Amino acid sequence: MAFDVDAYARAAGPVRTDGLGDLNEQFARQPLSEDALRCLRYMHDVESHTVCYLRDLLMTASHKDPRITTFLTVWNYEEHSHGEAIGAVLAAHGEAHGEERIGRLRRSQGRFDAVRPLVSWLASSAVGDDFVAVHMSWGAVNEWTTRAGYARLIERAGHPTLTALLGRIMAQESRHIAFYAGEARARLAASPRARRITRWALGKRWAPVGSGVMPAQETAFVLGHLLDGPSGRHEADRIDALIDRLPGQAGLGLLTGTASRYAPA
Ligand SMILES: [Fe+2]
Ligand SMILES: [Fe+2]
């Protein structure tokens, strides 16, 4: 059944942090490791960067489809709330979060950031309406990897409060997956050209979430930490199997390639 975007918009909202108890107290009693905090800083920054990705995406053919813009409006709000929720965990450890970190990241983007909307517009103009299939497929891959990243951090950190909070975020990521993957499947199935261009874009241009805006050593650390060991490899294989099932996208090996690069066995 097709994703009901209006029902999603009515039910959506910021991820809830009530009922988790006093975060300051719980993390003072059982603080997270430096490795887990380093992953959370990355996740906080990238979730909070969603509005900037949205800026670029609205320059593309996707903005012409009201179903997609309704989704993106709500998606952006939910992703923003993920940044805020993770910021509360950083705050409980006495760490910088929210505007302080986000402002620093925005200022660090350099001159290329100013032309990103232009690059998006040029790419979309060159491809035409099939660009929407690329966007939806790319979104599905990024949501699959984001949710898997949270699952792996839950496993590695083994902290009950973090598990509860990230579990709530993952439930929202699952709805994002349902939208992107459903749109991607339908659009790829309908157009051989969309399948070809998407395959080229994912194979040649896709890079892990956040890698375009975060310092390279932070991306390398987070991917190495989360893709490490049999569990990390299992998640990479699982996501590649999901990508394989998108029409025309079998055998790309995006995540197994990422795992062998960042977390060699
Ligand atoms: Fe998110
Ligand atoms: Fe998401």
Side-chain angles (χ1 to χ4, degrees):
M1 204 174 74
F3 187 95
D4 186 339
V5 80
D6 293 321
Y8 164 66
R10 279 194 301 275
V15 69
R16 288 174 44 211
T17 51
D18 55 307
L20 296 175
D22 184 333
L23 295 185
N24 291 333
E25 211 173 85
Q26 296 188 33
F27 287 109
R29 206 168 47 231
Q30 189 185 342
L32 291 166
S33 68
E34 170 52 27
D35 286 354
L37 285 171
R38 197 167 170 189
C39 291
L40 286 173
R41 288 182 210 117
Y42 187 95
M43 290 160 163
H44 167 273
D45 292 359
V46 175
E47 292 278 14
S48 305
H49 205 72
T50 302
V51 69
C52 305
Y53 296 126
L54 181 61
R55 170 197 66 171
D56 304 343
L57 292 167
L58 290 175
M59 301 297 289
T60 72
S62 297
H63 94 277
K64 288 190 279 187
D65 185 327
R67 180 178 154 78
I68 291 183
T69 52
T70 298
F71 170 78
L72 291 177
T73 301
V74 180
W75 165 78
N76 178 56
Y77 186 34
E78 290 191 334
E79 303 294 22
H80 170 77
S81 79
H82 300 171
E84 291 210 307
I86 295 168
V89 179
L90 295 177
H93 290 81
E95 295 242 351
H97 65 285
E99 287 182 16
E100 189 182 344
R101 282 193 69 87
I102 298 166
R104 214 184 295 151
L105 179 67
R106 301 265 169 96
R107 289 191 298 275
S108 74
Q109 290 305 303
R111 259 184 272 168
F112 179 67
D113 186 59
V115 297
R116 281 186 206 270
L118 182 63
V119 172
S120 290
W121 177 77
L122 284 169
S124 173
S125 301
V127 170
D129 287 345
D130 282 333
F131 184 87
V132 184
V134 179
H135 172 193
M136 295 297 110
S137 306
W138 195 288
V141 174
N142 283 359
E143 297 285 350
W144 278 325
T145 54
T146 300
R147 188 178 62 178
Y150 286 129
R152 286 287 295 136
L153 185 56
I154 285 174
E155 190 184 344
R156 291 216 63 173
H159 191 294
T161 310
L162 188 73
T163 297
L165 177 63
L166 296 186
R168 291 181 184 186
I169 292 178
M170 285 172 67
Q172 295 199 333
E173 307 297 11
S174 295
R175 287 195 285 276
H176 304 165
I177 288 168
F179 179 82
Y180 281 118
E183 287 290 323
R185 268 180 218 116
R187 288 165 192 273
L188 292 170
S191 163
R193 184 172 176 270
R195 292 199 286 279
R196 233 175 16 249
I197 295 169
T198 300
R199 189 174 180 83
W200 178 87
L202 289 177
K204 301 288 184 201
R205 291 283 173 262
W206 182 82
V209 186
S211 59
V213 297
M214 294 298 286
Q217 71 272 18
E218 294 312 302
T219 304
F221 173 80
V222 170
L223 290 170
H225 190 69
L226 299 179
L227 288 168
D228 189 40
S231 287
R233 196 53 62 124
H234 173 77
E235 281 301 303
D237 289 342
R238 194 182 61 79
I239 296 167
D240 276 347
L242 290 165
I243 298 169
D244 285 351
R245 291 209 289 275
L246 292 176
Q249 312 305 308
L252 285 169
L254 298 182
L255 270 297
T256 41
T258 302
S260 45
R261 183 167 163 213
Y262 290 99

